[in-house]
Amino acid sequence: MFIVPLALTIYAFIDCLNTSEEDTKHLPKIAWVFIILLFWIVGPVVWLAAGKNRHNRAAGAGPASWQPGRRRQWVAPDDNPDFLKSLKDDRKQPEAEAEAEAEEEPGRRDGGTSPDDKTPPTS
């Protein structure tokens, strides 16, 4: 019966230390640390219930328009429209080069010589 309150106190203490000062509610962060450590059964429960601003992370992947100061989250490459557009652009470049070479090829066959041509020129 001693292990559960101790584990809860350790968890709340570490959670309080990892919480930024802006996310603590009602009291300064140092006051919450003392409450958790001094009142080791009630303090952690109060911290978990009312001491920290809890963010709903499942609501959306990115910041809302009313949260201009929030950092944008990383987007996977297959969900990133800019990355997908760059892939399409990369595919178009080799096709354009192949088309340009195909347009030059008939001029070589019609009588022009190339370095790879093995037949001697006719005079």
Side-chain angles (χ1 to χ4, degrees), residues 9 12 32 35-49:
T9 302
W32 280 114
I35 289 172
I36 291 169
L37 293 177
L38 292 176
F39 305 105
W40 70 281
I41 293 177
V42 178
V45 173
V46 173
W47 164 254
L48 294 173

Side-chain angles (χ1 to χ4, degrees), residues 35-76:
I35 289 172
I36 291 169
L37 293 177
L38 292 176
F39 305 105
W40 70 281
I41 293 177
V42 178
V45 173
V46 173
W47 164 254
L48 294 173
K52 179 179 178 181
N53 285 331
R54 307 279 177 194
H55 299 291
N56 188 3
R57 298 183 195 273
S65 60
W66 52 271
Q67 294 174 322
R70 288 280 186 206
R71 179 173 55 106
R72 292 196 60 177
Q73 297 216 354
W74 181 79
V75 178

Side-chain angles (χ1 to χ4, degrees), residues 71-91:
R71 179 173 55 106
R72 292 196 60 177
Q73 297 216 354
W74 181 79
V75 178
D78 58 342
D79 293 336
N80 189 342
D82 296 331
F83 178 74
L84 295 174
K85 183 180 176 215
S86 72
L87 288 178
K88 289 178 185 175
D89 293 343
D90 289 344
R91 285 187 188 155

Side-chain angles (χ1 to χ4, degrees), residues 18-30:
N18 289 332
T19 303
S20 67
E21 190 71 38
E22 294 86 29
D23 287 338
T24 57
K25 293 194 306 188
H26 307 296
L27 294 172
K29 187 174 173 180
I30 191 73

